Amino acid sequence: MQYNPGWNGSSVNLLYVRAAGPGDSLHYVWSSIGAPAVLLVATQSPSSALRVNWTQLLSSSPAGAIWIDPPDSVVYSTAVVFTKLFEFSEAKPLGELFYPTYDLSEFSWDSLNHTLNHTALTAELSGVPDTDPSGSFSNGSLAFRVTAYEASGRDGRLPSLLHTADSSQLEFILAGVAPRGNSSRFVLEVATVEEAGAVRRLQSERSIDDEYTPTIFEVLSLVAESQNSSSTLGFLQWKATAYGSRSPRREDGIQCRAQGLQAANWSLPVSSIVQAYFGDSLGSTCTISALNVSFGGEEGEVYQEKRYLSWSVLLGFGEPPRDTFSPLVISITAVALGTPLAMLLLGSCLVLLAQRRRYSEYEPIN
């Protein structure tokens, strides 16, 4: 992990995470220059590295300011941009009432250098709107908490996402922000950028196993696939829940819905690292898609009471991790299903044996 590599100032935030393998390397570039975004690049060189022209990056024309060296080692690149936060209230007589949108490119962000933990591989980006007429953020903030991984495993806190060394976790946090309505719900807009030859697809998987995330049986994945070979290039993955507590428990769950992936016919808000890397292709050959993730529902009052919301999503390369039944669940299932079956077979055998050895008081006649 490196903070602002090649730049001494802390007035802007750029976090560089690099994972090196024996024959390739993965690059994550997180930044709040403009709208919060992450750039993901996979290369076929274990020694590839990020290069930044800071003067150009902080100028009004950042195209070409970020690249991977050597450039011909890049095999896949994409970006995810967190563009807007919507708030609306479901007023019964009037229907849905939308409040002025929070544009995340117009936020002031704290220096994440103060939260950077090189041991735990975590960092937190926290910000508030530049202008806040309603005063909703006077005692609160919006934050993105980043966690990188060195090996496969499972996060210890709910929703206990399964991860690999090729992935990173992002936690979206809304803390202390005063809602502008009595039954406010929040919607986060997420945009993705794909180069020519790749397309995004939203898929949902359901399972009867909720061992690691109680009462949640749905996992959603926003996967990037190659149009030529249908192979999976990268993904965003999350479980259909958010939580209303810093130490989440099952009862703190907040319903989470994905409102469908749409081709974005609008231009991205200012996000310098995306423009700096993709350059002119951003408006020509790149495909931009947008997805709205909503929080709340029948239990939407959870945020009203606790003024806290957290949503975790996994980002990475290749196929998204898939949960399987643990040995404990397999053992319990085998005992639960096997015992009645064994008793049934044993009973059948005893009945057949009894019929064969039917008792009689008469001696056979010779």
Side-chain angles (χ1 to χ4, degrees), residues 321-343:
R322 297 184 183 276
D323 262 320
T324 57
F325 291 105
S326 70
L328 175 63
V329 171
I330 294 174
S331 302
I332 293 174
T333 305
V335 171
L337 297 178
T339 302
L341 182 61
M343 294 178 66

Side-chain angles (χ1 to χ4, degrees), residues 16 18-21 23-27 41-51 67-74:
Y16 175 43
R18 179 176 177 271
D24 56 9
S25 57
L26 308 175
H27 307 265
V41 184
T43 74
Q44 56 187 0
S45 168
S47 59
S48 60
L50 177 73
R51 299 288 183 254
W67 70 97
I68 297 295
D69 188 26
D72 58 358
S73 67
V74 176

Side-chain angles (χ1 to χ4, degrees), residues 289-331:
S289 304
L291 174 78
N292 285 343
V293 181
S294 65
F295 310 101
E298 296 80 4
E299 69 292 282
E301 292 75 17
V302 173
Y303 182 80
Q304 296 284 135
E305 297 172 0
K306 300 188 177 180
R307 300 281 177 93
Y308 189 88
L309 184 151
S310 69
W311 172 63
S312 298
V313 57
L314 197 71
L315 304 91
F317 298 89
E319 291 280 351
R322 297 184 183 276
D323 262 320
T324 57
F325 291 105
S326 70
L328 175 63
V329 171
I330 294 174
S331 302

Side-chain angles (χ1 to χ4, degrees), residues 80-163:
V80 180
V81 188
F82 301 92
T83 52
K84 297 175 183 177
L85 181 69
F86 301 100
E87 181 184 353
F88 69 94
S89 179
E90 291 185 325
K92 295 297 182 184
L94 303 175
E96 293 181 350
L97 172 63
F98 278 84
Y99 297 97
T101 302
Y102 294 116
D103 190 334
L104 301 189
S105 65
E106 299 176 355
F107 269 49
S108 295
W109 302 94
D110 296 337
S111 172
L112 60 77
N113 192 36
H114 303 308
T115 63
L116 187 57
N117 187 324
H118 290 278
T119 303
L121 298 178
T122 59
E124 184 172 316
L125 185 66
S126 179
V128 297
D130 292 334
T131 58
D132 185 23
S134 64
S136 298
F137 279 80
S138 57
N139 294 312
S141 65
L142 182 152
F144 295 95
R145 182 179 297 152
V146 178
T147 304
Y149 299 107
E150 292 181 313
S152 299
R154 187 180 298 277
D155 193 62
R157 299 170 67 249
L158 290 176
S160 304
L161 293 176
L162 181 67
H163 63 259

